[in-house]
């Protein structure tokens, strides 16, 4: 008879390319006034496939600098938190589990890992200020209750000093409203 040759084959993917990731919100140097949902994107060059994205969340305010979503608390040691893919392919991702306990300056660092175990070479970062305190302003001139026949200057002060120093985003603009009272009517 004839001899039969059994051929065995294996298919695999050889991937040495490193994936990349980025934080898209909050953007670097953003000043925001409400608790954010952190979002970003990730990419892995062909033939790679992103497996997951982690985020590291740092704050300066207390000795517990690092967020740990698994324990639900801020801790002293560095910790990477797993994000969720919003598209299935990690082209967009989010992290929603942070307890934004304080107004402060935060630094976000993301890193992607692909199916071959390649870890992003240089992690993307974004620093933003979470400022939940409203700035204050005051009119210095003209003086309330005084009478004038001419006013050449309007002046006042403003500041954003409430809350931790690193959270103060500063005063961006001041709005001034002038009213004119004639009889029982008010004009703006």
């Amino acid at each position: 008879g004839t001899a039969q040759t059994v051929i065995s084959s294996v298919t695999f993917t050889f991937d040495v390319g490193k994936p990349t990731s980025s934080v898209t919100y909050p953007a670097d140097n953003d000043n925001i006034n409400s608790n954010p949902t952190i979002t970003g994107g990730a990419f892995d060059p062909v033939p790679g496939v992103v497996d997951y994205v982690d985020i590291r969340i740092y704050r300066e305010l207390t000795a517990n600098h690092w967020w740990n979503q698994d324990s639900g608390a801020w801790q002293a040691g560095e910790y990477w938190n797993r994000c969720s893919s919003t598209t299935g392919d990690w082209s967009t991702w989010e992290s929603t589990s942070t307890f934004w306990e304080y107004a402060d300056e935060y630094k976000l660092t993301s890193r992607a890992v692909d199916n071959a175990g390649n870890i992003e070479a240089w992690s993307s970062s974004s620093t933003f200020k979470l400022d939940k305190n409203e700035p204050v302003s005051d009119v210095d001139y003209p003086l309330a209750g005084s009478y004038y026949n001419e006013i050449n200057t309007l002046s006042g002060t403003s500041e954003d000093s409430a809350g931790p120093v690193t959270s103060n985003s500063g005063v961006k603009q001041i709005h001034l409203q002038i009213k004119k009272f004639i009889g029982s009517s008010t004009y703006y």
Side-chain angles (χ1 to χ4, degrees):
T2 29
Q4 181 179 13
T5 305
V6 177
I7 299 176
S8 174
S9 66
V10 175
T11 302
F12 65 92
T13 302
F14 183 72
D15 174 14
V16 294
K18 295 187 182 293
T20 59
S21 68
S22 63
V23 175
T24 55
Y25 183 81
D28 198 30
N29 296 315
D30 263 0
N31 295 310
I32 61 173
N33 61 11
S34 61
N35 296 345
T37 293
I38 302 166
T39 59
F43 170 78
D44 198 14
V46 174
V49 176
V50 175
D51 188 26
Y52 60 89
V53 174
D54 287 336
I55 186 110
R56 189 174 59 183
I57 304 168
Y58 175 85
R59 68 174 184 195
E60 186 65 41
L61 187 61
T62 68
N64 293 326
H65 298 298
W66 305 95
W67 175 248
N68 178 332
Q69 72 185 17
D70 295 330
S71 69
W74 292 91
Q75 66 183 35
E78 178 180 318
Y79 192 82
W80 288 95
N81 303 280
R82 189 63 39 94
C83 299
S84 302
S85 176
T86 58
T87 55
D89 65 356
W90 293 94
S91 59
T92 60
W93 54 264
E94 69 180 11
S95 176
T96 60
S97 65
T98 307
F99 174 53
W100 302 105
E101 184 176 11
Y102 300 108
D104 200 354
E105 183 172 83
Y106 291 88
K107 182 173 184 177
L108 310 172
T109 307
S110 65
R111 74 172 178 195
V113 178
D114 69 14
N115 283 344
N118 296 311
I119 300 172
E120 184 170 358
W122 181 255
S123 299
S124 169
S125 67
S126 169
T127 301
F128 72 97
K129 290 184 179 189
L130 177 58
D131 184 356
K132 297 181 180 183
N133 301 297
E134 295 181 357
V136 294
S137 63
D138 192 27
V139 175
D140 292 336
Y141 185 82
L143 300 174
S146 297
Y147 291 86
Y148 299 91
N149 63 9
E150 182 178 310
I151 297 176
N152 295 320
T153 302
L154 303 172
S155 65
T157 59
S158 66
E159 65 178 331
D160 184 25
S161 61
V165 174
T166 57
S167 74
N168 300 332
S169 58
V171 176
K172 184 175 181 179
Q173 63 186 161
I174 299 169
H175 295 270
L176 178 65
Q177 184 179 49
I178 300 173
K179 297 179 181 180
K180 181 178 182 180
F181 299 100
I182 299 177
S184 62
S185 300
T186 304
Y187 300 92
Y188 298 93

